Amino acid sequence: MKEDLCFDNFFTFLISKSIKKKNLKLGLLLHAHFFKKALTFKPIVSNHLIAMYLNFNEIKSAQKAFDELHVKNSHSWNILLSGYSKRGYFDRACNLFDQMPRRNLVSYNSLISGFSRHGFYLESVNMFKKMLNECDHLVIDGCTVVSLVGACACLGALKFLRQIHGFVTVFGLEFDLIVYNALIDAYGKCGEVDNAYRIFNQMTERDVVSWTSMVVAYTKVSRLEDACHVFNEIPVKNTVSWTGLIMGFAQNNSGNEALNLFRQMLEEGTQPNAYTFVSVLSACADLALIEKGKQIHGHIFRVGTRHDLLNKFVLNALIDMYCKCGDMNSAKLLFEMICEKDVVSWNSLITGFAQNGHGEESLNVFRMMIKANIRPNHVTFLGALSACSHTGLVSEGMKILELMEKDFGVIPRSDHYAILIDLLGRKNRLEEAMNMIKRTHNGLNYVGMWGALLGACRVHGNLGLARRAAEALFELEPKNAARYVMLSNVYAAAKRWDGSQAVRRLMEERGLRKEVAYSWIEVRNIRHEFVAKDKVHSQIEKICEVIVKLFLHMKDVGYIPLRDGTLFLDEDADVS
């Protein structure tokens, strides 16, 4: 008996060797030898063979080795079940699970973790509920908890997350580092950052994942000072922790701070990864800092081949950055560099051309996308409809709206209808735009549609419809001062000063103030901001000189300035 056990261990050692050396040929030779010697009847040998085939992704061979095993133990079933779950073959996994004579915790965990890993979060939670209903005696472990709280985080199921946390606490499960980290991450994603911090403080041992999860949790609720405080306490910062903070600032419209952190990261000698570059490129795009974006682009291409940075995600971020900065030639060149373009690549270019006034090019790219058999999503159609709006193609816009649902199963959202209303408004087809709002399901409650209609009424001076649109907007978003300003401008354009003044008084009664408008320009990597009526810029005298010159040039070529160009009157304006 002892001799047989030694042989079995030797055989399993050889199989493990073939896996370690990634030598499938050796594994096949061993399988043939074991078959001749009738050793495949032994579960310990066949279980290792099943695991070997799964490791080499030879699914059919793994299933065959399993089928040929006459006496299967729990380990045999669980190895194959785990293999199917890890690869997302859930039809096979569930079928196998249903056939199992005896299930244990490993069986349930295989499906719970497999569902969660592949994005089937609800199915993961339901499998856990099934386990509780079917097995009174099962003891859950850390693997169950990690998979479940991860699923809760992605579902935003805060109530169930609290129930799981309470259940395992009462159950007496000893939390290890991985479970603690999963709970911090889950509470952070659900916006319960104080609970996340409470768990963080309970930990006797922390790793870089613990610290980074806490930083990211704070950035998700826009508590950037707290995020920085935790970040500064990290004993040893790595690429992931730096990237977590940079990404948080970029996503909270603090692009300048994100870029400053990126500079500090490089100065400290930490090597950025693809996620870091995606975040800093997003910051450059939001701030329209094209020169800074080009510098980062150059850095990526210098080190890209060594650190696997020239991937689809980074290239998509570069395309998005160039599109938002108005450099469509660079965006198109990068788009053509991508071998396997995904829907994000196509969407970036379609939207970029549309937003930069190249409607025809945008629609051409949209048609190319359809020919390439890339399935468009709602973002694709927003870009295509926006292109129609900029080029005034009403019939083309209506066709695109029709094929959205008919050909691609994409249900139009309020954003899509708002663009169409804007398109109709540009053509002064305001009654049609109004009818579209009425026809659309729940359209009377969508801010975007009424906003587009009000903007069109301002352009074409339709006071009646403007008042109706504004009244709807005042009810839907009573604190948005821009809507009051727009209606006042419509009145002023029609020389209805009494109406304009009445809207201003309404704003004052409701304590609303118009946000100060500003523009900006990037010069030598420095962003210069100009507030409306600004008199304090360091180079204001030179700026005024240039404006006067431009004014004279405009006059020379026949442009006549509008004396009443400021439709929203100043506080001290005389309307008599």
Side-chain angles (χ1 to χ4, degrees), residues 16 25 52 76 110 150 184 224 234 261 280 295 332 349 369 371 427 466 479-480 544 555:
S16 299
K25 192 174 181 181
M52 178 196 74
S76 316
S110 292
I184 292 168
L224 300 180
I234 300 176
L261 283 166
V280 293
Q295 289 174 11
K332 191 175 179 183
L349 202 64
M369 179 183 182
K371 284 182 182 176
K427 293 290 185 179
K479 299 296 182 185
N480 189 342
C544 289
K555 202 171 180 182

Side-chain angles (χ1 to χ4, degrees), residues 69 82 150 193 268 293 356 388 458 464 560:
L69 181 59
S82 176
V193 68
E268 292 195 13
N356 284 284
C388 294
R458 179 191 173 186
I560 300 170

